[in-house]
Each structure stands twice: as C-alpha cells, then as structure tokens.
Amino acid sequence: MRKHRIHEPGHHKRFTDKAKQILQGALPEFLKHGYTRTSMDKVAKSAGVSKQTLYSYYKDKDGLFTALIENIAAEKFQILWSKPLEGEPEKVLRDLAYRLLDNVSNKNHLDFSRLILSESDKRPDLSQLFLKNVAKPSIEILTNYFEEQEEFNFADPEATAMIFIGSLIHYVLNQELLHGKEIIPMDRKRYVQNLINLVLYH
C-alpha cells in the first residue's frame, strides 16, 4: 500500500500577525451584522486598529471578506488534512470523517456557513470562493487517495470522494443548521460507519 501524504495547495496564503488581528476582529462583525451591514469602521474598531492600518492591508470590504474566507479555509485545511492518509482504508476514512465532522460542527464554522448561505443569492461569488478554497481541494485530495490505492477499484473516484465528503457535510447541515436532531436524530458513529461501509464494501 502506498502512503499518501498531503501537501497544502499553493493558493492558501500566509497571513502576518497584524493581518490576522484584523481578520479576527472582522469575523464577529460579519457574523453579527451580515456582509451588507458590516462596515470597515466597525471592523477597525473591533480589531483595535486605525482605519489607515486597516486600509493598508485591505483596500475594501470585498478584499477583506475574501481574505477572511481564505484564512478560514487555510486553518480548516491544516486541521482536516493534518495527518497523511496512511494505513488501513477503513481507519483512514473513519479518522478523516471525524475530523471533518468536528470541524464543520464547530460553532464559528456553522455561523460562518450561515453567513455564506444568507449572502449566496446576492453574492454568489462569495459562496463560490468558499467552495473553491474549502470543498474543492478536499475533494481533489480524497480523489487522489482513492486513485492511488491499489485495492480500490472505483468506477469514478472523484464522484466517490464527493459523495463521502458531501454526505458528512449534509449530516451536519441536517442535524445542526436545520435543527434536525429532534426530528430525524442520527448518532454520528452509526452514520460514519454506514457511510464507510457504503464506500468500501460496495
């Protein structure tokens, strides 16, 4: 079995301490007020920087929000793909599934997902940027893993990777964002094991 190590996509940027300070101040403002009603004045105050400093890093709100998405994506990428995809496939997929669920179920991530969804009709470019920086590289990495494992014989590794990741995201959206825990409760251990069974033992 070949080992599959993860390399961070080149489009994830590195942020300076001051830039991260601004983004950390910007996030609660966007979550509280939404994209449209968040102002650069509010962000500067929340981040504890002058407007001049803020504009020296981000020329406008679009650039700031774009950087915020890229920064969150980079952090999520580091956590989600922090371990190489090595070992028995069932264990690899189980570990990956729980890392993804823990990340997507995080309150800040859920709140940010709500923000992206609420703005998607008016600003589809923002939701597309989110998918480009979070979902797309994850699907590509898992697709490569499926293709490189000699014991797998998937007719469509990319579709299988999308089904695996998409099913886990759907589980969180269903249980958390749509408040489905009381209507259609599903233990996550049970969900993950059956998803792995569907993928590996088809």
Side-chain angles (χ1 to χ4, degrees):
M1 178 185 298
R2 286 180 290 179
K3 295 181 178 180
H4 188 81
R5 296 192 176 277
I6 304 305
H7 301 283
E8 183 175 352
H11 64 266
H12 289 310
K13 297 179 180 179
R14 301 297 181 183
F15 294 87
T16 66
D17 290 342
K18 182 63 70 173
K20 285 188 175 182
Q21 178 184 335
I22 293 171
L23 295 179
Q24 288 170 356
L27 179 58
E29 292 300 314
F30 281 115
L31 294 180
K32 181 178 180 180
H33 302 291
Y35 178 83
T36 303
R37 291 185 293 116
T38 294
S39 68
M40 294 293 270
D41 286 346
K42 291 177 181 177
V43 170
K45 184 176 180 180
S46 177
V49 299
S50 67
K51 287 180 64 177
Q52 182 180 3
T53 299
L54 174 59
Y55 280 105
S56 70
Y57 281 90
Y58 307 105
K59 65 179 182 178
D60 54 29
K61 188 165 67 173
D62 272 1
L64 174 62
F65 197 71
T66 297
L68 184 61
I69 292 176
E70 291 174 340
N71 183 57
I72 290 174
E75 291 178 351
K76 293 297 180 183
F77 183 93
Q78 288 290 346
I79 296 171
L80 183 58
W81 302 103
S82 58
K83 295 181 180 179
L85 303 183
E86 300 174 359
E88 291 299 319
E90 184 168 343
K91 183 179 186 304
V92 168
L93 293 182
R94 182 180 295 106
D95 290 346
L96 176 60
Y98 284 129
R99 286 202 303 276
L100 190 150
L101 289 177
D102 288 342
N103 269 274
V104 178
S105 299
N106 176 274
K107 184 180 184 303
N108 281 343
H109 184 90
L110 287 173
D111 290 343
F112 193 71
S113 296
R114 289 188 183 96
L115 172 60
I116 293 293
L117 289 172
S118 69
E119 300 290 340
S120 60
D121 283 344
K122 293 176 289 185
R123 295 295 307 275
D125 57 311
L126 298 179
S127 55
Q128 289 172 342
L129 180 64
F130 188 69
L131 288 175
K132 179 181 177 182
N133 284 274
V134 179
K136 185 178 179 181
S138 296
I139 291 169
E140 290 174 348
I141 290 169
L142 190 56
T143 298
N144 290 336
Y145 170 73
F146 286 154
E147 290 175 340
E148 293 182 4
Q149 303 309 301
E150 296 176 356
E151 63 266 44
F152 292 161
N153 188 28
F154 296 137
D156 192 334
E158 183 181 28
T160 304
M162 185 175 290
I163 290 168
F164 185 82
I165 292 175
S167 295
L168 293 167
I169 293 174
H170 171 77
Y171 172 81
V172 175
L173 293 178
N174 189 300
Q175 297 289 291
E176 302 294 341
L177 283 185
L178 298 179
H179 310 288
K181 288 181 177 179
E182 296 180 1
I183 307 301
I184 44 175
M186 172 63 66
D187 177 73
R188 76 173 194 167
K189 182 177 180 181
R190 176 185 170 193
Y191 189 91
V192 168
Q193 186 59 55
N194 280 277
L195 176 60
I196 291 172
N197 291 345
L198 287 172
V199 170
L200 293 184
Y201 310 118
H202 65 285

